[in-house]
Amino acid sequence: MIKYRPEIDGLRTIAILPVLFFHLGYNWISGGYFGVDVFFVISGYLITTLLTAKISEGNFSMFEFWTRRIKRLIPALLIVILFFLIIYPLIIFKPNIKELSNDIFPAIFSYFNFYALFHFGDYWGVAAEKSYFLHTWSLSVEEQFYLIYPFFLFLVYKYFKNYIIPLLIITVISGTLFVYFLNTHKDFSFYLLPCRVWELSVGGILSLVNIRDLFKNKLLKNLIVLIGLIFILASYFIPVFANNRYGIGAFLAVAGVGIILSLCNQKDFLGRILSSKPFVYIGNISYSLYLWHWPIIVLFGSLSFQLSNYNKHFINLVIIILTLLFSIISYHFIENKTRKSKHTLKLVAVFIAIAISMTIYYKSDNFKIYYSSKYNQVNYYLRYYDISPAQVKIEKNNPLIFNVFLPERKQIYKNAFKEQGIITIVGGKKPNLILLGDSHGVMWANLLNEVCDSLKISRSFYTSNASSPFFNIQNIDAQKGNEYYTQKQRVDYAKSVVKNIEIWKPEIFVIACRWDKITDDEKRELLDLLHYLNSKSIKVILFNQPPVLEFMVDYNASQYFTFLGLNPVKGFNYLKIANNEKTKIGNNYIKDLKNKYNNLDIYDVYSNMTRDGKMLVSNDKEIFYFDDDHLSYEGTKFHKHKIMELLLSLSKK
């Protein structure tokens, strides 16, 4: 019989609470995610203790082991999954449900770490943060470990009669892989079992060696245990360790928990604290806390607009209370009941069948994801003015383009990127205006087309989605390719722009970009371009960014507004601006450029769409946004007269 150590349950408290507060977004615990590393070491310690005892006694059963693991881990996980599958359609934006349903199978069948790696990539990325079951990546790592580890220990005992040396070997191999991928493919290092085994096996080694008896001096032992705690806390709180993703902080956390597991007991100073009822109880419910906290956080995150009037700390308090409530219920009525029940495996099979059925339904055409909107159809020229050779592909059933008019680019412009852009000649005159831009340039193209028609201006548009409009003008043959341009095509694009500037000698050069995303390299290229245009006495207009709808990211604006109950109002409709700090920083960057170039003007999109801390979003039934940061054609049309006045004033100078 394995002796119960209450201080280990208390140690789980030190692991789970930092994870919770880190996921709540508190910067003071920026390394809170290392709590998962602490869990891995504890799991390795306990599972090795259990397995080696069974194997040595000769009564180990693989079936019994896996049955115990299933009873311990799966019922509570399935309850969480089923709960959120039920409330999905009642609370969240329905077009998201099909995508979120893709997370269910990986979460149930313990391959979420692989799914997250190849589907989301960066754990800190926007896509990953929207996943209700992202946190199950660590459960997948553990369950994959449980699938292999018993065989490993069984074979090691059978042929070597020694666990420690083989465990040391796999610890070194795994630790080497961890460090190697840390510097080459960090996401591999984070998600994959081979790079995480060392943390579990360290726990395993420590369960097999008794170093506690080596320390006869109680004061010295307590001091070393305290150092172990300091190591763990340093990984959580000290930025130089905490912000070094997966690196030094992981080694500190593992070393710290290893020291405590090896030397601490409930009679020591730290052991008494960890063995106290509050620490032990939170440790006992830590698995349920881990299961519930992240989906609840994501759910509240999806309701950012509805909760915009509430203080962040108040919202987090509500999240903590709900997480505790559901976790306590889950621990007492699910975990404690199912781990001992003889009917658990049958119950698991039923729950899995229900979850699979619900997932299939949500992913089918029978589940209606669209809302009946009172807004008019949105017009957006996403592809029409995109000159990139391999245009952005959007599937016809993508909710982003539901009830959106999206005309295709004319065939004659398939080589526009290396010829004359999307060119329109008026009265036989050479282009007097060039528009350069990324997707924000595409966004303005149709409106500028109409304005130039009214003013009888010949023009050419060089605009591409998902591609920087800037290029290395100092070395025209040294361009970089991307997903939509090969390297040669980028060279051809750059040469075309420069050549046509020289030939046409345009009076006005318009640049429209998402300025808050511009990189340092792009800034250098922009400055070189501005210097070049200034030398040619060409007038430059920079369009700054419109306000961003930060409560939604890459959603169909008309559909999302309908989901929120923001129906059309008579006349202009303004909404409170949530933040827009990044947008303001981007806009201030180009504002500063105006002071450096006397040939430069700014069309202030942002100011023209805001007043008294509110942003303009619609006019009657015309919605002014396509998604969170791109204006619809109707949104750009609001600016038509002011842009026309600006062009007229510049042409008279």
Side-chain angles (χ1 to χ4, degrees), residues 99 116 208 222 248 252 286 290 435 476 506 649:
E99 179 65 24
L208 298 168
N222 278 325
I248 300 172
L252 279 175
S286 61
Y290 188 76
L435 168 64
I476 210 76
S649 68

Side-chain angles (χ1 to χ4, degrees), residues 92-109:
I92 70 172
F93 186 45
K94 285 195 289 187
N96 287 345
I97 294 175
K98 284 185 184 290
E99 179 65 24
L100 293 173
S101 297
N102 293 332
D103 296 1
I104 303 302
F105 283 21
I108 292 175
F109 297 110

Side-chain angles (χ1 to χ4, degrees), residues 114-375:
F114 289 101
Y115 172 75
L117 174 65
F118 296 112
H119 192 68
F120 301 133
D122 187 7
Y123 177 76
W124 282 262
V126 174
E129 289 180 351
K130 291 181 181 178
S131 170
Y132 280 70
F133 303 107
L134 175 67
H135 63 319
T136 63
W137 74 268
S138 65
L139 304 182
S140 296
V141 168
E142 284 203 31
E143 287 165 22
Q144 290 159 19
F145 178 74
Y146 295 150
L147 194 64
I148 300 168
Y149 194 54
F151 286 109
F152 171 79
L153 289 181
F154 182 79
L155 293 173
V156 162
Y157 182 76
K158 183 177 180 179
Y159 293 106
F160 297 99
K161 303 298 182 183
N162 183 303
Y163 298 109
I164 295 177
I165 293 176
L167 279 174
L168 280 171
I169 292 171
I170 67 167
T171 300
V172 171
I173 293 171
S174 175
T176 303
L177 289 173
F178 176 81
V179 173
Y180 172 75
F181 284 117
L182 202 60
N183 298 306
T184 55
H185 297 86
K186 280 192 174 183
D187 294 330
F188 282 26
S189 194
F190 186 84
Y191 285 120
L192 298 185
L193 176 62
C195 301
R196 290 290 192 170
V197 162
W198 70 277
E199 296 178 314
L200 292 144
S201 58
V202 162
I205 292 169
L206 295 174
S207 74
L208 298 168
V209 295
N210 182 8
I211 62 173
R212 188 180 292 112
D213 293 342
L214 298 177
F215 292 87
K216 304 299 182 181
N217 187 309
K218 188 175 180 181
L219 180 61
L220 177 62
K221 186 175 71 169
N222 278 325
L223 180 61
I224 295 173
V225 168
L226 184 60
I227 291 172
L229 178 63
I230 290 171
F231 280 178
I232 296 174
L233 297 180
S235 73
Y236 294 160
F237 294 106
I238 298 179
V240 68
F241 303 132
N243 296 334
N244 189 335
R245 292 181 181 175
Y246 337 144
I248 300 172
F251 288 105
L252 279 175
V254 169
V257 68
I259 290 170
I260 294 172
L261 284 172
S262 300
L263 297 180
C264 185
N265 65 51
Q266 63 191 95
K267 295 180 181 179
D268 297 330
F269 174 72
L270 181 61
R272 286 197 298 272
I273 296 173
L274 295 177
S275 301
S276 63
K277 288 183 178 180
F279 273 83
V280 169
Y281 185 74
I282 294 173
N284 283 334
I285 67 170
S286 61
Y287 179 57
S288 282
L289 283 169
Y290 188 76
L291 288 177
W292 284 102
H293 85 282
W294 179 249
I296 293 174
I297 288 171
V298 175
L299 179 63
F300 273 72
S302 72
L303 303 175
S304 60
F305 179 82
Q306 296 92 323
L307 300 172
S308 59
N309 291 326
Y310 293 94
N311 179 276
K312 172 190 172 181
H313 303 296
F314 174 77
I315 293 171
N316 283 347
L317 178 61
V318 173
I319 290 172
I320 291 170
I321 291 170
L322 288 175
T323 299
L324 281 171
L325 178 63
F326 282 111
S327 299
I328 290 168
I329 294 171
S330 177
Y331 172 71
H332 288 289
F333 297 100
I334 305 298
E335 286 189 65
N336 281 350
K337 302 293 183 183
T338 55
R339 76 173 68 182
K340 300 173 184 177
S341 173
K342 61 181 181 179
H343 302 295
T344 299
L345 295 183
K346 295 177 183 177
L347 193 65
V348 164
V350 171
F351 284 171
I352 289 176
I354 295 171
I356 290 174
S357 299
M358 294 181 73
T359 301
I360 292 172
Y361 169 66
Y362 286 150
K363 291 173 69 66
S364 73
D365 292 335
N366 293 321
F367 178 66
K368 306 303 179 185
I369 64 173
Y370 297 117
Y371 303 87
S372 179
S373 178
K374 295 179 181 178
Y375 290 99

Side-chain angles (χ1 to χ4, degrees), residues 440-540:
H440 280 239
V442 173
M443 172 180 89
W444 286 106
N446 197 61
L447 187 277
L448 280 171
N449 212 36
E450 292 181 357
V451 170
C452 288
D453 266 346
S454 299
L455 299 177
K456 295 182 171 42
I457 297 174
S458 295
R459 65 273 184 188
S460 174
F461 298 159
Y462 284 89
T463 51
S464 303
N465 292 307
S467 294
S468 170
F470 309 118
F471 48 87
N472 186 344
I473 202 169
Q474 303 289 345
N475 186 354
I476 210 76
D477 291 312
Q479 312 306 324
K480 296 178 181 178
N482 60 30
E483 185 178 350
Y484 304 101
Y485 286 84
T486 65
Q487 193 271 339
K488 182 181 182 306
Q489 287 168 340
R490 284 294 288 181
V491 171
D492 290 342
Y493 159 79
K495 287 181 176 178
S496 175
V497 174
V498 174
K499 180 187 74 173
N500 288 323
I501 290 173
E502 296 289 343
I503 294 171
W504 298 335
K505 296 179 175 56
E507 186 180 8
I508 298 172
F509 200 94
V510 179
I511 304 176
C513 284
R514 179 147 191 192
W515 301 108
D516 64 355
K517 298 288 187 180
I518 190 170
T519 66
D520 289 339
D521 285 342
E522 289 166 353
K523 286 179 180 179
R524 285 191 291 270
E525 292 170 348
L526 169 62
L527 292 176
D528 287 342
L529 176 62
L530 292 177
H531 181 74
Y532 168 73
L533 294 171
N534 192 39
S535 71
K536 299 291 181 182
S537 299
I538 296 172
K539 297 163 187 172
V540 177

Side-chain angles (χ1 to χ4, degrees), residues 38-57:
V38 173
F39 271 123
F40 281 155
V41 180
I42 294 172
S43 294
Y45 182 92
L46 294 175
I47 213 69
T48 305
T49 303
L50 172 68
L51 287 172
T52 53
K54 290 280 187 181
I55 292 170
S56 300
E57 292 167 4

